[in-house]
Amino acid sequence: MPFVDIHSHILPGFDDGARDDREFLEMVDRALAGGTVRIAATPHCDLEDPLPRLEYIPAEVDRCRGFLRLQGRELDLVPGVEVRVNAGLYRWVKEGGDIERLTLAGNGRYLLADLPLADLPAATADILFLLQLRGLVPILAHPERNRHLASHPERVREMVERGIIIQVNSGSLEGIYGKAARRAAFALLGEGLARLVASDAHDPAGRSPDLSAAHGIIVRRLGEEAARLLLGHNPAAVLAGEDPVALPAAPPRRARRLLPRSR
Ligand SMILES: [Fe+2]
């Protein structure tokens, strides 16, 4: 099954992801080796920064697509951005900023949003709601890595009930962010709250875009169909501007087994 990845820092020289074209190509090769056929380049964007550099992303993606053609790599690269939920985003939307530019593949619908890792700013719900009022569907990136949400899954459930889509990081399932994030990630999948798994890749090795290990873990814990939805069908739907499918909650006994055994 080909994978589609909606979250990566693969665009060279933009943020703390790929440093240059050589590292970009190494990440591309890792993505392809892991079975990914389409990937969104989603550099960090903080709209409180006076120079968010948003306008350069589409041109850089076009350049990288040409580079991939020259190099004979068949990975479909599309533009995107990972937007920090803060007052800058609120102002951007309120003051009539180009919101399509903030959406995945420029589809005008899905916005990949991220929160600080430590806490949940009080205005988060209001900002996400404002995005929805403007016709956007926020996708919350890796809530399992946010310390508040990881220990308060009921807050994630509230968001899902309000139409927010949840994306879990492949690395969280592999345990690269620690036990708490891994436990929270499995809980989100087990309860049917997450519809997407993505790499959030930053480099070719440690936080790589290779989704095959996460695929194996999901198949073992939740089955083939869940893996197909989380890594293939749903991310492809999102990039096409269509609805991702909700996964059923795992039956209780199986859900319990989703929690890693303590050693
Ligand atoms: Fe990210």
Side-chain angles (χ1 to χ4, degrees):
M1 174 192 64
F3 305 141
V4 175
D5 192 350
I6 65 150
H7 184 171
S8 78
H9 301 272
I10 198 167
L11 212 57
F14 252 83
D15 56 9
D16 55 346
R19 276 173 296 192
D20 49 29
D21 282 359
R22 191 182 56 80
E23 206 165 81
F24 164 70
L25 205 56
E26 285 175 21
M27 289 176 75
V28 165
D29 286 341
R30 286 298 304 266
L32 287 167
T36 298
V37 295
R38 195 165 202 224
I39 190 166
T42 54
H44 296 287
C45 171
D46 180 348
L47 291 166
E48 287 191 324
D49 185 332
L51 289 171
R53 299 197 301 162
L54 267 176
E55 66 270 32
Y56 302 118
I57 295 174
E60 180 62 7
V61 168
D62 279 349
R63 186 191 71 82
C64 287
R65 288 172 65 91
F67 179 53
L68 290 181
R69 269 195 303 278
L70 282 175
Q71 299 290 330
R73 305 311 206 270
E74 292 192 1
L75 180 68
D76 185 23
L77 184 72
V78 299
V81 64
E82 179 181 17
V83 190
R84 176 55 60 94
V85 178
N86 60 19
L89 173 59
Y90 183 84
R91 276 195 301 275
W92 178 276
V93 177
K94 269 284 184 199
E95 292 169 8
D98 179 357
I99 50 177
E100 198 166 299
R101 193 184 278 182
L102 302 179
T103 58
L104 292 172
N107 62 29
R109 184 152 191 227
Y110 291 104
L111 179 143
L112 184 65
D114 95 317
L115 297 171
L117 294 180
D119 56 1
L120 188 65
T124 300
D126 289 344
I127 297 172
L128 295 177
F129 185 56
L130 175 65
L131 296 171
Q132 291 176 301
L133 287 177
R134 297 297 160 98
L136 297 177
V137 180
I139 296 175
L140 187 61
H142 46 68
E144 75 279 6
R145 298 196 61 208
N146 174 280
R147 258 178 270 152
H148 179 81
L149 292 177
S151 52
H152 294 85
E154 71 280 5
R155 301 297 302 273
V156 180
R157 183 173 292 284
E158 283 168 24
M159 290 183 179
V160 170
E161 284 166 0
R162 290 178 189 157
I164 311 289
I165 306 288
I166 301 300
Q167 176 253 303
V168 162
N169 276 10
S170 55
S172 298
L173 302 174
E174 296 167 47
I176 68 172
Y177 308 108
K179 283 184 188 166
R182 185 171 67 159
R183 195 175 302 121
F186 282 122
L188 290 171
L189 293 186
E191 290 178 30
L193 295 176
R195 296 191 189 190
L196 300 158
V197 170
S199 72
D200 191 10
H202 279 69
D203 52 57
R207 294 175 68 184
S208 100
D210 183 342
L211 292 171
S212 60
H215 174 259
I217 292 168
I218 297 168
V219 168
R220 283 197 299 281
R221 307 244 180 180
L222 292 167
E224 282 281 355
E225 178 59 6
R228 189 185 71 80
L229 291 175
L230 290 163
L231 292 163
H233 179 275
N234 280 350
V238 159
L239 292 186
E242 294 161 4
D243 294 334
V245 178
L247 277 78
R253 191 190 257 174
R254 193 154 196 196
R256 260 200 308 278
R257 279 214 317 270
L258 292 170
L259 296 174
R261 291 185 186 90
S262 46
R263 289 163 202 266

